[in-house]
Amino acid sequence: MFILGISAFYHDSAACLVKNGKIIAAAQEERFTRKKHDQSFPNLAIQYCLEEAGIEISSLEYISFYDKPFLKFERILETYLQFAPFGIKSFLKAIPLWIKKKLWIKDIIAKELSYTGQIIFPKHHESHAASAFFPSPFQEAAFITMDGVGEWSTSSFGFGKDNQIELLADIQFPHSLGLLYSAFTYYTGFRVNSGEYKVMGLAPYGESKYKKLIYEHLIDVKEDGSFKMNMAYFDYCAGLTMTNSKFHKLFGGSPRKPESKITQKEMDLARSVQEVTEEIVMKIAKYVRKETGMKYLCLAGGVALNCVANGKLLRSGLFDDIWIQPAAGDAGGAVGCALFTWYQDLGYQRNADDKVDFMKGSYLGPEFKNDIIESVVGKRGYPYKL
């Protein structure tokens, strides 16, 4: 049985092909179009996956899409209504795209792929959780998912056992650790959903001078890691930017202009939000260990790409071992929704040995053998050694 998983239309579109529960191929659309974080429908990634397996679209038993478009649209409408009339510019910019395209995923899949079979729609954080647990080496484990936002959830936890996952609790939009980090990404002059790694990279060069301000004004964090953000400082619910004038006043000025000189202030801001993120992640992990009693932990979602926080969590010894989905962001949702369909929906057996995972070293995209590489560089006259 072949199942195709798809993530698309927000950032990091991707496709994953699963055959009888095993990942055969997976790739991001950006690898073929050469557009970083390409969000378009992943036709080329899908084509690669099918070619790798030597099959046609007609061979697919199911296609699984990584979130529920109508539920996400519900959240967007409710958010705009809550903030109306503020946000009309953002509303007029966003809604036509939803009406014309993003709501009609079934029709798009049918049209783009000439597919007439069944389509499955797990929730966004179910896809993240599935991408964390099902390819992991663990027969049972807790999982934590953290990102910007899916439909409503921004963070969730639960546990996986054998071939099933169960979500136990979540934090919902607009309160989001991922969006807090993205707000500082925007404020320090980097591109949201792209430059967060730069903020993480800047952090070691700064001091956490602004951490107290963050805790006092931006986010209220409880001992179990749950949190609530003060939306008076943020514009992302209905505006066109992540932060607003109140945020800018709190931190002493307007956002850094992209490509301008990076100052010590940006480094200190990066260090501050990085430490806040690490502390929240640790609190959530401690609570999850207590609630689930599991000795292993799996992670996914965009925040799980924060390798510094992950490293501190691993070294803490809170869990015997942790496993992180390599494609922890939305691209990995294609892996998760395909495996969710195989295990959770269809109920097929899963056997893990607590040692070896099922990601095949993440060597799941196109390979280029020596003869192909030699042919390309030879045609172009580039010097090379075998």
Side-chain angles (χ1 to χ4, degrees), residues 182-184 186-187 233-236 241-245 247-248 255:
S182 290
F184 279 87
Y186 168 80
Y187 187 69
Y233 290 90
F234 300 95
D235 221 11
Y236 59 75
T241 60
M242 294 297 296
T243 57
N244 60 25
S245 58
F247 186 104
H248 307 161

Side-chain angles (χ1 to χ4, degrees), residues 79 116 241 250 354 372:
T79 302
T116 58
T241 60
L250 181 66
D354 293 345
I372 296 175

Side-chain angles (χ1 to χ4, degrees), residues 47-301:
Q47 180 183 333
Y48 157 70
C49 289
L50 297 176
E51 289 176 353
E52 189 71 11
I55 63 170
E56 302 290 335
I57 284 290
S58 58
S59 299
L60 297 175
E61 194 76 21
Y62 296 92
I63 288 180
S64 188
F65 191 76
Y66 80 132
D67 67 11
K68 291 183 179 293
F70 280 89
L71 191 58
K72 183 172 282 188
F73 188 57
E74 173 190 89
R75 186 255 301 168
I76 290 169
L77 284 181
E78 285 193 22
T79 302
Y80 278 126
L81 285 172
Q82 182 181 348
F83 285 87
F86 175 75
I88 188 65
K89 288 184 179 179
S90 177
F91 178 85
L92 292 174
K93 186 177 180 180
I95 295 304
L97 185 60
W98 272 92
I99 299 298
K100 291 178 181 179
K101 185 167 77 171
K102 290 184 177 181
L103 273 177
W104 317 113
I105 300 301
K106 278 191 175 182
D107 294 339
I108 291 171
I109 290 173
K111 181 181 178 181
E112 294 286 344
L113 303 179
S114 299
Y115 177 74
T116 58
Q118 295 189 64
I119 303 175
I120 307 294
F121 291 88
K123 289 181 180 178
H124 188 91
H125 277 257
E126 286 178 331
S127 294
H128 275 320
S131 78
F133 175 67
F134 289 137
S136 81
F138 311 130
Q139 192 65 17
E140 60 178 35
F143 64 77
I144 300 172
T145 67
M146 300 169 288
D147 64 4
V149 60
E151 295 88 4
W152 282 101
S153 296
T154 65
S155 299
S156 73
F157 84 89
F159 66 91
K161 185 174 182 180
D162 301 330
N163 65 346
Q164 297 288 303
I165 57 172
E166 182 178 349
L167 275 67
L168 297 177
D170 69 353
I171 296 171
Q172 296 196 347
F173 184 86
H175 311 291
S176 167
L177 185 56
L179 291 177
L180 174 70
Y181 208 92
S182 290
F184 279 87
T185 301
Y186 168 80
Y187 187 69
T188 52
F190 302 113
R191 187 179 175 185
V192 172
N193 292 328
S194 175
E196 282 78 4
Y197 74 96
K198 296 179 181 179
V199 176
M200 184 176 66
L202 274 183
Y205 299 96
E207 297 179 6
S208 53
K209 292 180 178 179
Y210 301 100
K211 187 164 72 168
K212 186 177 179 181
L213 277 181
I214 294 172
Y215 278 127
E216 287 181 347
H217 296 275
L218 302 188
I219 188 167
D220 178 24
V221 184
K222 304 303 182 185
E223 199 55 38
D224 62 0
S226 62
F227 56 85
K228 186 174 183 179
M229 292 168 61
N230 184 350
M231 298 313 300
Y233 290 90
F234 300 95
D235 221 11
Y236 59 75
C237 282
L240 295 172
T241 60
M242 294 297 296
T243 57
N244 60 25
S245 58
K246 192 170 183 178
F247 186 104
H248 307 161
K249 184 178 180 181
L250 181 66
F251 293 103
S254 300
R256 181 182 76 91
K257 291 182 179 180
E259 306 305 323
S260 64
K261 183 180 179 181
I262 295 172
T263 68
Q264 190 62 46
K265 178 184 176 181
E266 282 75 47
M267 299 176 197
D268 293 340
L269 286 163
R271 179 63 174 265
S272 301
V273 74
Q274 176 65 29
E275 287 194 7
V276 169
T277 299
E278 292 167 8
E279 288 166 8
I280 293 173
V281 168
M282 284 301 304
K283 285 184 175 182
I284 292 174
K286 287 177 182 176
Y287 180 74
V288 170
R289 175 68 200 244
K290 177 185 174 184
E291 287 296 301
T292 66
M294 296 288 179
K295 63 180 181 178
Y296 298 125
L297 177 67
C298 302
L299 298 173

Side-chain angles (χ1 to χ4, degrees), residues 318-375:
L318 188 59
F319 290 87
D320 290 7
D321 202 1
I322 66 174
W323 190 85
I324 305 152
Q325 167 55 240
D330 277 7
V335 176
C337 65
L339 292 175
F340 184 92
T341 301
W342 174 258
Y343 289 117
Q344 193 92 353
D345 286 333
L346 301 178
Y348 284 100
Q349 187 176 358
R350 175 181 176 275
N351 294 306
D353 62 6
D354 293 345
K355 296 177 182 177
V356 181
D357 68 35
F358 301 96
M359 283 294 291
K360 300 180 181 179
S362 294
Y363 295 121
L364 298 166
E367 64 175 327
F368 302 95
K369 295 182 178 178
N370 286 344
D371 57 342
I372 296 175
I373 298 170
E374 186 178 4
S375 173

